Amino acid sequence: MSDRVPSAALWLGAAGALPFIALALAVRFAPVPGNFVAETLLTGYGTAILSFMGGVHWGLAMRDHRPWQYAASVLPALYAWPALWLSAETGWLYLGAGFALLLAFDFWAGLRGWTPFWYARLRPPLTLAAVGSLLFAALLA
C-alpha cells in the first residue's frame, strides 16, 4: 500500500482549509458588519465540514460492511450541530475539540486498516488548519 496522498485529495483538502483561514482572519480584522458575517460563516462552515468528515466513515462502512461504522459516521454531524446555537467563541472551541476528537478516531481507525494508509498523512495538516483557525478566531475575536 502506498502512503502517498493522492494529489486530488491533497489539493482539494487544502482548498477546503482556505475558508477556515480566510474566515478566521475576517473575524479578527474585518470591520463591522463584515466581522459579524464572518463569525456566522465560520461557525456554519466548521459545522458543515465536521459533518462532512463523518461522511468519510459512511463511505468506508459501505465499502467494508461494518454496521457500527455507519453509526460512528453520523456522530460528527450530531456533535457539530449544537455549535450553531452556542456563542461564536464557545462554538469555535467546541468545533475545534470535535475536529481533534475526529482526528484521534481517524488514527485509531487507520491503525486497524479501516482507512487508506495515506489518510493518516492527510488529516493532521488539515486538522491543524481548521483547529488553528477556530482557536485564532476564538481567542482573538
Side-chain angles (χ1 to χ4, degrees):
M1 262 190 202
S2 173
D3 66 344
R4 185 167 185 222
V5 177
S7 60
L10 181 62
W11 288 106
L12 292 170
L18 292 177
F20 278 112
I21 296 164
L23 289 167
L25 290 171
V27 163
R28 175 63 179 97
F29 297 112
V32 175
N35 63 348
F36 175 74
V37 171
E39 287 180 359
T40 303
L41 291 174
L42 182 58
T43 303
Y45 189 69
T47 300
I49 295 301
L50 189 55
S51 300
F52 169 81
M53 296 303 302
V56 168
H57 291 282
W58 184 275
L60 294 171
M62 289 183 358
R63 179 192 72 188
D64 298 333
H65 308 291
R66 291 188 183 96
W68 63 267
Q69 205 167 14
Y70 286 116
S73 75
V74 300
L75 292 178
L78 295 174
Y79 176 92
W81 188 251
L84 297 170
W85 285 278
L86 298 170
S87 70
E89 292 84 0
T90 302
W92 300 329
L93 294 172
Y94 179 80
L95 288 168
F99 279 104
L101 289 168
L102 184 56
L103 178 63
F105 177 78
D106 286 340
F107 281 145
W108 182 79
L111 289 172
R112 283 151 185 76
W114 300 339
T115 61
F117 188 73
W118 55 264
Y119 194 60
R121 296 190 69 206
L122 176 67
R123 291 282 286 116
L126 298 179
T127 299
L128 179 62
V131 173
S133 296
L134 291 164
L135 285 175
F136 176 85
L139 300 176
L140 298 175

